[in-house]
Amino acid sequence: MSLCKDCAFLVLLAANIYSLVSSDGVNLGVSDSADKLRQTPSLSPAVVNPPVFKPASDSPSSLSLLSFPEDLEISDYCSELLHIFGQRYVAYVNCLIPAARPVHVCLNCSSGYGSLLDIYANISSDQMGPGNVSCRDSLLRSDQLMVVFLMYSNLESLWEKSNCKQCITNGFQRPTNDTLYFMTTLNQTLTCFEKYQQGNHTELCKNCKSTYRDLNELYGRMENNLTLCIDIEDAMNMTRRLWSTHFNCSFPRTETVPVIAVSSFMLFLPIIFYLSSFLHSEQKKRKLIHPKRAKSYTSLMNIQDKLS
């Protein structure tokens, strides 16, 4: 009886040991599988990163275009003309900006415009350069934008609107004689303003009146002769602003009396017209005679009765 109990105890002990060993193996396998899943990257489309394109080099030279065939490239001669045009264009613009206020675009920048005009004449010319090459088509007409032509046209329009050719000689070297004389008279007027501008402006208005009158008369003659440019017009406007607004001076104009006389005549013209019309109508009434037609007709009938 005790032997059977011992055998049953041994069987239960062996079964427990086997179950413990089996559970450890299963847990070990699960943990190993989890570790493998952690090490294996996910294959889900939402997690997988797309490949990124990286250029071969980050330098700007990697974006430069390749050279075109030689028959499409401009020649060295045209490239040199384009380079000179760019230098003179920049020089002329750098002169225009400081001369914008007060305006001296004609007197200060005429030589720069003349140099720009010369290089553009070489570019737009039909004459062949070295190697029988003409740059007009390659630099001015090879594309729809026509950059060189548009840039030059803008500066040419500025020169024309400023009427600079009326103040500068044909060679773009110096101002005309009329312009020099005006600038001399202007400097005399400004010198007089500077001399008497301190204190009471009554002395300025009195002592500078003659020089200011001469300047106005000279400006009027130049305006009639079409010898004004934007530099002279702007200088005269500033001088007049100083005289009338800043110094509060008045300058009676010579044509004031004729203007007043004509204005007075135009004012009394309607009165004269109506008065003359009234007198003329009264005179006609006096000359008008009303015949007595009824009496004349009765007398005529009596005469006819007697004759019959």
Side-chain angles (χ1 to χ4, degrees), residues 1 15 35 46 61 76 78 93 174 189 229 263 285 307:
M1 189 68 180
D35 293 338
S61 61
D76 294 337
C78 297
V93 171
R174 63 180 185 86
T189 305
C229 61
S263 301
K285 289 181 180 179
L307 292 176

Side-chain angles (χ1 to χ4, degrees), residues 50-64:
V52 178
F53 173 77
K54 295 183 179 179
S57 176
D58 294 335
S59 61
S61 61
S62 62
L63 300 177
S64 62

Side-chain angles (χ1 to χ4, degrees), residues 1 22 41 68 72 95 123 140 152 178 194 207-208 242 246-247 272 296-297 304:
M1 189 68 180
S22 298
F68 288 102
L72 297 179
C95 179
I123 292 176
L140 300 180
Y152 173 76
D178 292 339
E194 185 177 0
N207 296 325
C208 301
L242 283 175
H246 187 71
F247 300 132
I272 296 173
S296 300
Y297 179 75
Q304 289 181 353

Side-chain angles (χ1 to χ4, degrees), residues 33-85:
S33 299
D35 293 338
K36 291 181 179 180
L37 289 176
R38 293 190 189 99
Q39 297 176 359
T40 304
S42 177
L43 299 179
S44 176
V47 179
V48 176
N49 295 325
V52 178
F53 173 77
K54 295 183 179 179
S57 176
D58 294 335
S59 61
S61 61
S62 62
L63 300 177
S64 62
L65 295 176
L66 299 177
S67 299
F68 288 102
E70 293 183 359
D71 55 345
L72 297 179
E73 293 284 351
I74 62 174
S75 63
D76 294 337
Y77 171 69
C78 297
S79 179
E80 182 64 20
L81 288 182
L82 184 62
H83 179 68
I84 297 174
F85 175 83

Side-chain angles (χ1 to χ4, degrees), residues 184-308:
T184 301
T185 308
L186 176 63
N187 289 333
Q188 293 176 357
T189 305
L190 295 179
T191 302
C192 184
F193 288 173
E194 185 177 0
K195 181 179 180 180
Y196 295 100
Q197 67 179 352
Q198 301 295 333
N200 191 1
H201 291 165
T202 304
E203 294 294 327
L204 184 146
C205 299
K206 178 181 178 181
N207 296 325
C208 301
K209 183 178 180 179
S210 59
T211 56
Y212 182 72
R213 181 192 294 112
D214 295 340
L215 183 66
N216 273 279
E217 292 177 355
L218 177 60
Y219 182 83
R221 291 194 299 269
M222 295 181 67
E223 187 176 11
N224 295 330
N225 298 332
L226 300 179
T227 57
L228 294 179
C229 61
I230 189 61
D231 294 11
I232 296 178
E233 293 177 2
D234 184 74
M236 192 65 207
N237 290 335
M238 294 180 65
T239 306
R240 287 174 174 174
R241 193 179 301 117
L242 283 175
W243 176 263
S244 60
T245 304
H246 187 71
F247 300 132
N248 198 21
C249 298
S250 60
F251 184 74
R253 302 176 65 90
T254 57
E255 64 269 14
T256 303
V257 176
V259 170
I260 294 176
V262 173
S263 301
S264 301
F265 175 77
M266 296 299 294
L267 180 63
F268 288 100
L269 186 61
I271 300 175
I272 296 173
F273 173 75
Y274 286 113
L275 182 61
S276 61
S277 299
F278 176 76
L279 295 176
H280 186 67
S281 61
E282 290 293 331
Q283 186 177 5
K284 280 190 174 182
K285 289 181 180 179
R286 294 174 183 176
K287 290 183 179 181
L288 185 61
I289 300 176
H290 298 281
K292 300 180 180 180
R293 295 182 179 275
K295 184 176 180 180
S296 300
Y297 179 75
T298 304
S299 60
L300 182 60
M301 291 298 293
N302 293 331
I303 293 172
Q304 289 181 353
D305 291 340
K306 292 179 180 181
L307 292 176
S308 61

